[in-house]
Amino acid sequence: MIPVCGRLGTIKIGHVTKKRKTDIQVGTLAMFSHLIIYKLCAVERITVNTLKMKIESMSADSEQGHTNYSYIIIGAGSAGAVLANRLSELPEMNVLLLEAGAIFNEDQYPDIVANSQVLGANGDSRYDWGYKTIPDSNGYSMNVARGKIMGGSSAVNGAVAVRGLPSDFKRWANKGIKHWAWNDVLPYYKKLEKSNLEDTQWHGHSGYFPVNQLNISDLSPMQQAFIEAAKAHNYEEIADFNSEKQYGVGPYPVNIVNGIRINTGMAYLNEAVQKRKNLTVEGNALIDKILFSNTTATGVVLADGRIFTGKEIIVSAGTYGSAALLMRSGIGPAALLQHLGIPVIADLPVGENILDHPFYFNTYAAEPDKIGRLSPVTGVNLWTRSSYAAQDELDIHITAGHLFTPEQSPTKAGYVFGIALTNPKSRGSVKIASSNPEDAPVIDLNFLAVEEDRKRLLEGIRHSRQIAQTEPLKSLSVGELNPGKHAIDDDLILESVKTTLQSYNHPIASAPMGLEGSAAAVVDFAGNVYGVKALRVVDASILPDCISTGPNITVIMAAEKIADDIKGVSKQHLSEN
């Protein structure tokens, strides 16, 4: 077999030194041979089986390394990092983790990524994919931050560690989703976490991922005033959103330690884990496509021509990235693939039903001498419901934060309330424009296309403005900036929404779970892609319906759960440990 040939740069240098110089040279030659053969395959229409025979013949004399892994995991983000850790716990499993971005040890992440006060890596193209939505009829487009680094979007998000609601999973069950009821998922929410709370009914304490509940004293003066203003509207103060009650206002639980956003790369792929002999981590590894033998996934081709083969391929490249990779590989809507000249392996509704949370900034100018400390950048939430919500539904978030550019304010000081619709009905899409892995996917979030979504969001905005005019918040403000005092009715508010609406950056459901043959389903309840063999998707793509908060913790939970499915660990065994 061919030795692993990509151990260059920062990736597991310690392992490279264990190889003989001749092995590395053979691997480098193999890499270029792979490139030549792959190009021939593309040009001359050589079959995958013929390609495999050529590769095996070329590498017969190699003693070191191999490319036939037990599992190849694509993407080292919120799901992929978890899977790489958990599957490599079994010494008989040989795991390859491929990440398109950079790889770091847990204490070596750059400040622009690790600092919890910085979101989206400030758009730095080294660590963010730089995706944008397609322009609407008025030319308005949204930036959609996605992490391009080990840790994925967990490395660039708001570090909020809130679980989904029991009613979210009840809604899933009503759609025919099996084995994902609240009682099925709670043990895995607990398994992933290392909580700073003593409670054992709701919290775990031996997991890899830190979940630290903020206290009132951790919040900024503005955020503390927000809580008091919300309580004046008869909301209950919630001390822990991850326990029994969520309807109310309170501080967030966060995955932040001493100001550092702890991402899944830091937590699940620490130095000790990366040193496991049966785990190989490759960075700067952009995937071109998945290889198939008939309908069985057999390996992957990288954009640079390298080829790796494995017994099972697990796609964890995120809602946009996973959908794009599946489509480039022949898994997706047949009409689109045929239009792009991509042979169809499985005709599935990949990318046709995505969901995200619309997010509107209600901003205020502040008295500079009253605003006080500006951290945490996000730390408090009012979780409430619109008049359209079902009895157990919480469809509105109002967060109070400091994600504010001082130049926006005439006083050079201000703050922002973010209003999110957390259970929207409008669904969007993600497509590919070509088979080139360097091309960004075509993203249409289709926000507020359903009239009820507009009405729900308007209620949230009106409520945010009411709270802003309630003491002790009112005394901090010198005036509303967005939508502004001129916006005295719903039509004027909607005009502001049309030009300033943002994504909460919570995209899901580009390859959703569901019953085989159902209209939207791409994978089964363990992430196996329908119509093919040896291929799974495990990330936010497979969530079939909204999570009424940020999905990051739920994605980590799902990866923990499916890792146990793969390893054959029973729920009874989990409860005994």
Side-chain angles (χ1 to χ4, degrees):
M1 300 300 291
I2 301 169
V4 175
C5 56
R7 298 176 186 271
L8 305 175
T10 61
I11 304 145
K12 298 186 75 172
I13 297 298
H15 283 214
V16 174
T17 60
K18 295 179 182 179
K19 290 184 175 290
R20 299 193 305 268
K21 182 177 179 181
T22 53
D23 294 325
I24 297 174
Q25 291 172 337
V26 169
T28 304
L29 285 170
M31 180 180 72
F32 287 108
S33 299
H34 282 176
L35 181 58
I36 293 168
I37 291 175
Y38 174 59
K39 296 302 182 184
L40 283 171
C41 183
V43 174
E44 302 295 338
R45 304 289 184 181
I46 296 173
T47 67
V48 172
N49 285 334
T50 302
L51 177 63
K52 287 173 64 180
M53 291 172 61
K54 287 178 177 288
I55 294 170
E56 290 169 357
S57 174
M58 177 180 66
S59 57
D61 294 332
S62 174
E63 297 177 359
Q64 295 284 322
H66 52 276
T67 55
N68 193 29
Y69 291 89
S70 307
Y71 297 96
I72 298 176
I73 302 167
I74 301 169
S78 296
V82 177
L83 291 165
N85 178 315
R86 294 304 190 186
L87 296 181
S88 65
E89 287 177 336
L90 300 178
E92 66 272 22
M93 298 297 180
N94 202 13
V95 179
L96 172 64
L97 176 62
L98 298 170
E99 166 55 41
I103 304 298
F104 294 96
N105 288 331
E106 64 264 35
D107 59 349
Q108 295 178 344
Y109 279 78
D111 184 70
I112 199 172
V113 172
N115 188 336
S116 63
Q117 289 290 101
V118 179
L119 302 186
N122 281 343
D124 190 315
S125 61
R126 292 173 297 174
Y127 312 119
D128 176 70
W129 282 98
Y131 294 154
K132 296 175 72 73
T133 62
I134 61 172
D136 64 16
S137 58
N138 297 313
Y140 179 66
S141 179
M142 289 173 262
N143 296 318
V144 283
R146 297 285 86 194
K148 184 182 180 183
I149 190 172
M150 188 166 76
S153 293
S154 77
V156 299
N157 65 12
V160 172
V162 177
R163 302 167 179 171
L165 298 172
S167 60
D168 292 332
F169 298 97
K170 181 180 179 181
R171 196 169 61 251
W172 289 17
N174 291 338
K175 291 177 175 288
I177 306 301
K178 299 178 181 179
H179 314 303
W180 290 86
W182 179 249
N183 288 339
D184 296 316
V185 301
L186 179 58
Y188 289 97
Y189 276 128
K190 293 171 68 175
K191 179 180 181 179
L192 72 88
E193 78 174 356
K194 182 165 52 181
S195 174
N196 67 336
L197 300 178
E198 294 183 0
D199 170 83
T200 57
Q201 178 183 359
W202 296 100
H203 293 287
H205 300 89
S206 58
Y208 279 94
F209 205 67
V211 178
N212 293 325
Q213 177 59 54
L214 295 176
N215 298 312
I216 298 295
S217 60
D218 296 317
L219 303 178
S220 71
M222 182 277 290
Q223 292 164 339
Q224 294 180 32
F226 177 83
I227 288 179
E228 294 305 312
K231 287 165 63 178
H233 288 264
N234 298 315
Y235 286 105
E236 180 179 352
E237 185 176 322
I238 304 296
D240 176 13
F241 283 116
N242 285 336
S243 60
E244 186 174 7
K245 296 181 180 180
Q246 290 82 34
Y247 179 64
V249 64
Y252 271 133
V254 296
N255 46 286
I256 297 172
V257 177
N258 297 324
I260 300 298
R261 176 192 299 105
I262 305 299
N263 64 62
T264 55
M266 295 174 175
Y268 280 89
L269 295 173
N270 58 46
E271 188 173 2
V273 173
Q274 288 195 54
K275 285 183 177 179
R276 290 176 184 169
K277 293 182 179 179
N278 64 331
L279 174 63
T280 301
V281 181
E282 292 279 351
N284 301 309
L286 179 64
I287 308 300
D288 181 356
K289 65 183 67 176
I290 300 161
L291 292 173
F292 288 88
S293 176
N294 297 318
T295 58
T296 300
T298 58
V300 297
V301 180
L302 274 62
D304 62 11
R306 285 180 289 166
I307 295 173
F308 298 98
T309 60
K311 296 177 181 177
E312 181 170 324
I313 313 302
I314 304 176
V315 180
S316 299
T319 294
Y320 303 138
S322 290
L325 175 58
L326 289 173
M327 286 185 270
R328 289 198 303 272
S329 305
I331 310 290
L336 173 64
L337 302 184
Q338 289 165 354
H339 173 73
L340 296 173
I342 298 171
V344 178
I345 304 295
D347 180 10
L348 292 170
V350 174
E352 294 186 340
N353 293 281
I354 67 170
L355 287 159
D356 194 1
H357 297 146
F359 193 60
Y360 177 77
F361 288 116
N362 176 210
T363 56
Y364 293 86
E367 293 279 8
D369 58 345
K370 292 183 179 179
I371 187 69
R373 176 166 53 93
L374 303 181
S375 65
V377 66
T378 183
V380 64
N381 182 44
L382 170 60
W383 211 343
T384 186
R385 59 174 62 96
S386 74
S387 63
Y388 295 88
Q391 185 175 3
D392 59 356
E393 182 182 358
L394 296 176
D395 61 339
I396 299 292
H397 273 192
I398 304 176
T399 61
H402 297 286
L403 192 63
F404 182 86
T405 304
E407 288 70 30
Q408 298 178 49
S409 169
T411 66
K412 306 304 180 187
Y415 51 89
V416 60
F417 299 156
I419 301 97
L421 180 59
T422 62
N423 189 18
K425 308 306 177 188
S426 306
R427 287 182 178 260
S429 65
V430 57
K431 304 175 182 178
I432 55 173
S434 76
S435 60
N436 186 347
E438 301 282 355
D439 290 346
V442 180
I443 301 166
D444 181 5
L445 295 176
N446 199 33
F447 279 159
L448 308 184
V450 176
E451 183 180 6
E452 184 180 304
D453 285 355
R454 297 193 292 275
K455 292 179 177 179
R456 289 184 188 227
L457 185 63
L458 278 169
E459 285 190 18
I461 295 169
R462 288 197 298 267
H463 197 33
S464 174
R465 299 176 91 183
Q466 290 170 351
I467 292 171
Q469 294 304 311
T470 304
E471 294 292 2
L473 263 177
K474 184 177 180 179
S475 297
L476 295 180
S477 171
V478 296
E480 186 183 65
L481 299 173
N482 193 44
K485 62 182 181 180
H486 70 282
I488 58 176
D489 59 35
D490 287 352
D491 288 341
L492 291 170
I493 295 173
L494 279 174
E495 285 302 312
S496 171
V497 169
K498 289 178 182 178
T499 58
T500 63
L501 189 67
Q502 296 293 320
S503 165
Y504 215 174
N505 290 317
H506 297 159
I508 65 166
S510 62
M513 289 188 283
L515 295 168
E516 187 170 12
S518 59
V522 173
V523 303
D524 69 11
F525 309 129
N528 296 292
V529 177
Y530 286 125
V532 298
K533 298 177 182 178
L535 178 64
R536 291 182 201 249
V537 182
V538 185
D539 58 19
S541 305
I542 70 171
L543 306 187
D545 204 350
C546 278
I547 293 294
S548 300
T549 184
N552 190 56
I553 288 293
T554 297
V555 171
I556 297 171
M557 174 277 291
E560 287 275 17
K561 184 176 185 299
I562 293 178
D564 269 4
D565 288 341
I566 295 171
K567 292 161 67 176
V569 177
S570 70
K571 186 167 66 175
Q572 179 64 35
H573 176 75
L574 175 65
S575 66
E576 292 172 354
N577 290 275

